[in-house]
Amino acid sequence: MAALSRVAGLVAAAVLGLVAGTCGVVVSRVNLTVLGARLPYGIVLALVVAALLFAQCRYLLGKGGGVAAALGWAVPVAAALWPRPEGDVVLAGDWYGLGFVVAGLFLVGWQLLRRGDRRARAGQGGRRTGTTGGSTRRGDRDR
């Protein structure tokens, strides 16, 4: 049963990555004009959502979860770079489009190359308890 739930979690992470990548491609071009200056909040929002999704999937499912979410994100982004039969592309080759792709690939690489997750550093139990190295007992904190 645990293997089935792990596979379901990895599939869910990949589907969430697919949704985040599709929404990121659409939202990355959104700008807000304030006092004559364009603020590209769409690309920032898309990259923050992708980074949070990768990190949370890695935290919950381990390195495989982060990789599954990152691969799911990369599919619509790569598809948006291919030219359509009419000759246009969904994700343009200007600074916004290239910035979105390069920053997103940096986030994907970060998930693939960074060291172990927090559970591995905390030990096999996954959670640290306050029993080692502490000078106060549980009841002493309330006094």
Side-chain angles (χ1 to χ4, degrees):
M1 186 67 174
L4 181 63
S5 64
R6 172 119 176 110
V7 169
L10 292 175
V11 169
V15 169
L16 286 173
L18 185 76
V19 170
T22 304
C23 293
V25 166
V26 173
V27 173
S28 67
R29 302 296 294 185
V30 177
N31 290 320
L32 179 67
T33 304
V34 177
L35 299 173
R38 291 184 353 174
L39 300 174
Y41 75 92
I43 193 169
V44 173
L45 180 66
L47 290 171
V48 166
V49 166
L52 290 175
L53 176 69
F54 300 160
Q56 194 63 27
C57 287
R58 182 174 174 137
Y59 177 73
L60 293 174
L61 300 169
K63 192 170 189 172
V67 170
L71 289 177
W73 178 87
V75 168
V77 172
L81 292 172
W82 289 100
R84 296 180 11 178
E86 295 85 20
D88 57 346
V89 292
V90 177
L91 193 58
D94 59 354
W95 288 107
Y96 286 110
L98 291 176
F100 178 68
V101 171
V102 169
L105 289 176
F106 172 77
L107 293 173
V108 169
W110 176 60
Q111 286 302 318
L112 292 174
L113 299 176
R114 71 183 178 121
R115 289 180 34 189
D117 57 358
R118 193 160 72 171
R119 289 184 196 165
R121 286 193 301 268
Q124 292 290 19
R127 186 180 271 216
R128 290 187 183 198
T129 59
T131 58
T132 59
S135 62
T136 60
R137 293 187 311 246
R138 174 170 249 169
D140 291 341
R141 282 187 244 154
D142 296 331
R143 294 182 194 161

